[in-house]
Amino acid sequence: MKNNLFDRFVPKENKFFPLLSQMADVILTASDLIIGCVQAKNHAEAVELYKKVKDQERRGDKLQAKIFEELNNTFITPFDREDINTLSSRLDDVIDHINSCAKRIMLYSPKVMPESAKLLALLVRESAEYLTKAIDELDVLKKNPTKVREYCNKLHEIESKADDVYEHFLIDLFENEKDAIEVIKLKDILHELEKATDTQEAVGKIIKTIIVKYS
């Protein structure tokens, strides 16, 4: 029989890295779905895609709860437990923003989605790829921090592009859209996409902090 007290003192790297990687996979899956959401041909399609995004959001919540549970049950962690908790929390925030965008598309049923929505959704997807790569490298961070740092820099670059797309979208929206209700709808929807890229960049900053501490 295992000595449960002794087991708490054994490093549990294998507990946390797979859970964080699974959260990154959730973001990647949700980002694929949100591309479909912004291009949905009708309300019924938007509803079905939102349901799939919501399933991913629930999966992300369960993974974050599991990480929190493991932090409370593990004496020795691969990184500072506060960093692990903050990282998982920001990953969950990314999922929440994607879910919030899909929910708004489903609820608001905008007349026409602007091209900027697709551009932002694609940037969320591109950022998700680099985020996944960075998370997957955490278990070998001390051996090769340079690659992880490059992935985090990409997150910053993509966030800057998303800011530009969103700003140009707002200019065009306020100049050309005469329906005040549509202005509110579209601004709210695209703001969630822009916040998703902001939060993905925030994940990169947390990982950079971990690099400074442990590489």
Side-chain angles (χ1 to χ4, degrees):
M1 181 179 290
K2 274 190 174 182
N3 184 326
N4 291 330
L5 179 62
F6 177 77
D7 192 50
R8 285 169 60 86
F9 288 84
V10 178
K12 298 294 183 181
E13 288 89 344
N14 289 338
K15 280 186 176 183
F16 297 102
F17 295 129
L19 290 170
L20 290 168
S21 291
Q22 286 175 57
M23 290 194 77
D25 287 341
V26 168
I27 293 173
L28 199 58
T29 301
S31 65
D32 280 329
L33 291 167
I34 202 63
I35 293 172
C37 283
V38 300
Q39 300 179 92
K41 297 178 177 63
N42 51 58
H43 184 254
E45 185 179 351
V47 170
E48 288 306 309
L49 285 165
Y50 165 65
K51 289 178 180 177
K52 292 178 180 179
V53 174
K54 186 63 180 178
D55 286 342
Q56 294 302 313
E57 190 263 346
R58 293 192 183 102
R59 184 182 165 209
D61 284 346
K62 289 178 181 178
L63 287 166
Q64 190 196 12
K66 180 65 175 175
I67 289 172
F68 186 76
E69 178 187 338
E70 294 294 352
L71 285 171
N72 287 324
N73 293 328
T74 305
F75 188 79
I76 300 175
T77 57
F79 303 124
D80 184 276
R81 64 185 63 245
E82 184 177 341
D83 289 334
I84 295 173
N85 185 57
T86 303
L87 180 57
S88 67
S89 178
R90 291 292 82 78
L91 288 169
D92 188 58
D93 288 344
V94 176
I95 303 165
D96 287 343
H97 285 309
I98 295 173
N99 178 71
S100 184
C101 177
K103 184 176 182 178
R104 281 161 169 75
I105 293 171
M106 182 269 294
L107 291 175
Y108 297 168
S109 292
K111 294 176 182 176
V112 179
M113 288 294 289
E115 182 65 19
S116 298
K118 180 181 177 181
L119 293 176
L120 282 173
L122 289 171
L123 288 172
V124 170
R125 176 61 172 78
E126 183 181 2
S127 193
E129 290 181 16
Y130 286 110
L131 187 152
T132 301
K133 290 178 181 179
I135 295 293
D136 286 346
E137 292 282 337
L138 284 180
D139 60 342
V140 291
L141 182 61
K142 294 179 181 180
K143 296 178 181 177
N144 191 7
T146 302
K147 187 181 292 185
V148 181
R149 192 178 290 110
E150 288 173 357
Y151 296 147
C152 293
N153 289 338
K154 285 291 185 181
L155 294 176
H156 173 70
E157 291 174 15
I158 294 168
E159 190 275 335
S160 295
K161 290 179 183 177
D163 278 350
D164 289 341
V165 171
Y166 186 64
E167 287 171 8
H168 284 93
F169 153 74
L170 289 177
I171 293 170
D172 182 69
L173 181 69
F174 292 132
E175 284 184 354
N176 300 306
E177 180 56 65
K178 306 306 178 185
D179 187 332
I181 300 299
E182 286 301 302
V183 168
I184 294 170
K185 288 179 181 179
L186 293 173
K187 182 177 181 296
D188 202 18
I189 290 169
L190 272 74
H191 190 214
E192 290 300 319
L193 289 173
E194 191 271 335
K195 285 196 291 186
T197 61
D198 284 347
T199 311
Q200 286 169 315
E201 183 198 22
V203 171
K205 289 179 179 179
I206 295 167
I207 294 173
K208 281 185 174 181
T209 299
I210 294 173
I211 290 173
V212 170
K213 287 183 179 179
Y214 299 100
S215 63

